Amino acid sequence: MKLRSYMLIGFLLSLVLSIVPFSGNFTNAATPTAVAPVSALSFTQGVQKTVLDNGLTVLTKEVHTAPVVSVQVWYKVGSRNEVKGQNGISHQLEHLMFKGTTDRPVQFGRLFSALGSQFNAFTSYDETAYFGTVQRDKLEALLTLEADRMENSLVGTEQLTSEKRVVISELQGYENSPGYRLNRTVMRDAFPSRGYGLPVGGTKADVEKFTVDQVRNYYQTYYSPENATLVITGDFATEPVLKVVKETYGKLPKRAKTAVAKNSAQVTAPSSVGKKAPIVLKQPGSAALLQAVYPLTDINHPDVPAIDLMDAILTGGRSSRLYQALVESGLASSVSGGAAELIEPGWYEIDATAAPGKELGKIAQVLQESLAKLQQQPVTSEELNRAKTQLQASYILGNQDITSQATQLGYNQTVAGDYRFIERYLAAIAKVTPAQVQQVAKTYLNPAKQTIGFFEPTQPDGKPGTSNAGSSRTVENFSPGKPVDPAELAKYLPPTTSATDLRKQSLPEEFTLNNGLRVLLLGDRNLPTINLSGQINAGSEFDGNQKAGLANLTANNLMNGTQTKNALDLAKTLEDRGAGLDFSASREGVSVSGQGLSANLPILIQTLADVLENATFPADQLELSRQRALTSLKVQQDDPRGLGRQLFQQAIYPENHPFHSFPTADSLKSITRDDLLGFYQTHYRPDSTTIALVGDFEPAEVKALLNQQFGKWQATGKPPVLKIASVPLPQTLTRLNKVIPGKAEAVTYIGYNGISRKDPRFYAALVLNQILGGDTLSSRLGTEVRDRQGLTYGIYSGFAAGINPGPFLIQIQTAPGDTQKAIASTLALLKQLREQGVTEAEFNAAKRSITNSYPVDLANPSDVSSIILENAVLGLSRSEIRDFPQQIQAVTMAQMQQAIEDFIKPENLVIVTAGPGDTVPKIGS
């Protein structure tokens, strides 16, 4: 599905450290009764298209639901335009677009951060896009910055040299993933002569060879007004903004060289005589993987709606055919799929992870049988209606915030050639017949055109390699540069209009049912949607080491059956209506996440009440979920991020502390159905449950509904409470290293135990963290370790402050040879912060950045429900959602200095590195 899959594949520049997963297996699924067509007008109504004299396409859409605006620039260039030897040049240029311009020779991430923008960029197959969402008074400034880098970006030797290292760090991080390596191999084989067969981010070999002239020529060829679309959505008036756009962008000239997409050498599917043999990768890894790819048509072909419905029938949720055939049968632990419908003919992809001990050949056989059945028999009207509802609901639920609405417009204009594409698409979806779905299955799921790959791990037990501990010695001294002076930065910031009078955030209504269930309600009539967030005090802190994984297995089995419905009935109840309900256990509770159209609120609440009160935990489903948990454990033990975080926490917290406990194969295998039932009966209680609802509803009706559905749920006695002992800092600096064979990139965690959310020092800690490592492009850590030295794709710091104190940590991804230097640089920055403190200007800039970006969070109803819930669970006031910016502004310089004294202790750190060997120096070297 375009919006939720390939549109956002690519390499997000800074805020995400992994590929956005491609999956057509959306959680919000579908109506087996007659489907009413969803009007596409809500997506395109009010959109004004303007084409400037220089060819720039401008799309504006006023959305006055929150005082924020989103600005996006989409360039019609991506990996499709690359040739062998220059693979990754689109992605390399995307990185360089943040390195400054001739008039503003500073890291643009710092400028965006100073405006409080929530920003990023991505490169994909057909497009490279840059986006930022800000308070409405920063709109003109954001437009000015984007126009500046469209024309004047610095593409020089210094910029390219440092950013090449960053890109290589990013690519090597992806190399850690067996799924990435399998995908790269399969795509190269499926499309040997086309840009789509090349990895979007490029290869290390090609990136190392890029010259300044190559990248500059690419920039001048494709980053031209007539090859771009500017999208502006949000709280603004169109005419004055278009005047600014014409003044700002209108003066940019067309390039001498017209941006023309290169013709692919091959745009039709290869005509194979017979079925190709599977590609087999035997490499270090954990779980066995399968990927199958089939050539498709392009996005504007009339078959596209039927192809997307075929995908929803195959992989759209638990009731889908491939989930039932592969996951419910115990063959696979997961399956997903999706259609890449792009400017040129794309592909359909199916991915599966084998369950422990299951053969990939058998999965491939059952997959082929399922596809053949789809080709031989028309789908049922029930399946087709469910698929239609899945697609329609996912568009509405996926466009609740203005950033997503801008992205939808930008994608359709750039890839489909018309922002109104969605109107035709949704109208066509409503008309697709069973015969058309059968026909596209016959046409495109042709075994002779299939490319299939198997990843067979050479370490099927998933056991990591050796481990060693070093002392506190580091091999190099390092003197960091001076912190960036915000006053120096300010001279490059475009002016902003006077601060607007931000609308007061409405506060949720709060009440408690007779049984102790706590509810927070906030009406939002702007969209016909419901966003539900909940928490049950039944997290993994109650596991203990012997039964580690119990809380998660319990949460994962809630939807496997109740006294009146089995797993498939529960799935269909929601998926038939395009609604979703998920449970996942974390340390301090089980998170509940629900979404749907407002008409389906009763179904969502009825299902939630049913599983919380009447779950039956069928033995067969428990075994399947146990196998999935064992697969996940193998994957985590093979992932430097997952294993590194576990070892880090276990080094900080003693064995008897609930934050020390992590599942093992033995603990997962020891858990019985009686354990689940006991845990459920003990910890799933109304007086341990909090629910927040944000959306289109009448509060009085919701109250009546909740009383009706949850009224019989009762608990006896008092809920279990843990007394968690405080954890002292380590006495000395501790260094641990874990070798995981076959990895290209190391991940390091640095830190110690921190604070709880209710600690009075929390707001000062947040400001301190913003300065230190809150943003990898604008923080001290990011400026030094990423930007100046190019040692990492991402370095971040954070306080995991919950009900109980969680860790303060710094996370770095590095090439093995750069790990020690990155750690030494980080320690030097911490010492510099400890000894010299922060400047008044830096302090004020950090506070502004946090408070300016906060309204963007409040512009998304889904985020608002999460914020309301979190505040309630953490014991904060209902007014915290409104007061948060004032709390940040109220932090004093004295409190900041005290926070540095309390929290920055370079001599007491725990440092854990997981990844390839040779990242720790030998003592005395």
Side-chain angles (χ1 to χ4, degrees), residues 217-544:
N217 286 340
Y218 203 78
Y219 172 59
Q220 288 171 347
T221 300
Y222 291 106
Y223 278 56
S224 181
E226 74 275 18
N227 200 47
T229 297
L230 169 66
V231 187
I232 309 165
T233 56
D235 195 15
F236 65 91
T238 302
E239 289 313 313
V241 165
L242 278 178
K243 186 167 178 278
V244 172
V245 167
K246 284 168 186 169
E247 288 165 0
T248 316
Y249 290 81
K251 63 188 178 192
L252 302 182
K254 286 186 180 181
R255 299 270 197 253
K257 213 191 227 174
T258 308
V260 179
K262 100 185 156 56
N263 290 321
S264 286
Q266 171 198 350
V267 293
T268 52
S271 54
S272 308
V273 178
K275 226 168 134 181
K276 287 195 278 189
I279 299 161
V280 180
L281 287 189
K282 294 192 177 190
Q283 296 175 356
S286 49
L289 309 173
L290 173 150
Q291 182 173 82
V293 164
Y294 302 84
L296 278 189
T297 181
D298 63 82
I299 191 170
N300 282 306
H301 193 283
D303 282 349
V304 161
I307 291 169
D308 287 354
L309 289 168
M310 173 190 78
D311 169 47
I313 288 163
L314 285 172
T315 67
R318 188 167 187 167
S319 63
S320 66
R321 290 193 178 191
L322 290 183
Y323 191 97
Q324 290 294 315
L326 295 174
V327 181
E328 293 286 6
S329 68
L331 281 174
S333 64
S334 66
V335 64
S336 62
E341 294 136 347
L342 306 171
I343 289 176
E344 294 172 9
W347 61 94
Y348 182 62
E349 179 178 324
I350 297 169
D351 299 273
T353 302
K358 300 300 181 183
E359 293 293 324
L360 291 171
K362 177 64 176 171
I363 293 174
Q365 180 193 331
V366 173
L367 169 62
Q368 192 52 56
E369 288 166 2
S370 299
L371 301 185
K373 186 179 176 187
L374 189 64
Q375 293 169 328
Q376 289 154 13
Q377 299 167 16
V379 298
T380 66
S381 58
E382 178 191 347
E383 281 181 297
L384 184 55
N385 286 334
R386 183 183 304 125
K388 289 180 179 183
T389 307
Q390 282 185 322
L391 281 165
Q392 293 168 346
S394 68
Y395 271 94
I396 296 169
L397 294 167
N399 277 290
Q400 293 188 89
D401 61 292
I402 63 154
T403 305
S404 300
Q405 291 178 44
T407 303
Q408 177 77 59
L409 293 170
Y411 182 83
N412 286 342
Q413 182 63 38
T414 305
V415 178
D418 182 4
Y419 74 89
R420 291 183 304 264
F421 168 81
I422 190 171
E423 297 173 20
R424 300 194 304 275
Y425 174 79
L426 287 175
I429 285 285
K431 295 175 185 166
V432 171
T433 65
Q436 287 172 311
V437 174
Q438 185 181 10
Q439 185 55 50
V440 295
K442 283 180 181 173
T443 304
Y444 299 104
L445 302 180
N446 182 345
K449 294 180 180 177
Q450 174 198 67
T451 305
I452 191 165
F454 295 165
F455 180 88
E456 296 181 353
T458 54
Q459 279 190 299
D461 55 2
K463 284 180 183 165
T466 56
S467 174
N468 61 58
S471 79
S472 61
R473 302 263 294 276
T474 53
V475 291
E476 49 192 308
N477 288 317
F478 174 77
S479 296
K482 283 189 177 177
V484 175
D485 180 6
E488 181 67 17
L489 196 66
K491 69 186 186 189
Y492 299 119
L493 273 172
T496 58
T497 57
S498 58
T500 46
D501 175 27
L502 295 181
R503 272 161 237 166
K504 281 286 184 191
Q505 170 64 41
S506 302
L507 299 185
E509 179 185 353
E510 182 176 345
F511 57 92
T512 303
L513 302 187
N514 292 335
N515 58 9
L517 178 72
R518 194 171 168 203
V519 181
L520 296 110
L521 298 180
L522 184 62
D524 180 351
R525 288 307 181 76
N526 290 307
L527 289 163
T529 59
I530 294 294
N531 295 275
L532 182 151
S533 298
Q535 179 155 317
I536 304 144
N537 299 339
S540 58
E541 62 186 1
F542 291 110
D543 277 356

Side-chain angles (χ1 to χ4, degrees), residues 784-810:
E784 188 62 61
V785 184
R786 184 194 194 279
D787 224 37
R788 283 191 186 141
Q789 298 184 63
L791 296 175
T792 178
Y793 169 53
I795 181 166
Y796 309 88
S797 63
F799 287 86
I803 298 166
N804 299 290
F808 162 72
L809 58 86
I810 296 166

Side-chain angles (χ1 to χ4, degrees), residues 110-152:
R110 283 182 223 133
L111 298 175
F112 293 136
S113 185
L115 292 174
S117 176
Q118 293 192 9
F119 68 94
N120 215 318
F122 68 85
T123 305
S124 192
Y125 298 97
D126 293 332
E127 75 274 12
T128 309
Y130 302 81
F131 50 96
T133 303
V134 291
Q135 287 186 59
R136 62 185 173 199
D137 57 305
K138 312 294 191 306
L139 171 58
E140 202 166 322
L142 213 48
L143 288 169
T144 302
L145 292 174
E146 287 295 357
D148 189 17
R149 64 176 174 174
M150 182 181 282
E151 172 70 11
N152 305 310

Side-chain angles (χ1 to χ4, degrees), residues 42 61 147 167 297 400 434 464 484 488 559 636 641 662 666 672 680 713 741-742 745 829 835 838 862 904 919:
S42 56
K61 181 183 182 184
V167 167
T297 181
Q400 293 188 89
V484 175
E488 181 67 17
M559 294 290 287
Q636 187 213 335
R641 274 179 300 171
F662 282 81
D666 287 342
T672 65
Y680 177 67
W713 192 22
E745 197 85 342
L829 283 161
E835 290 161 9
V838 301
S862 177
I904 305 300
T919 57

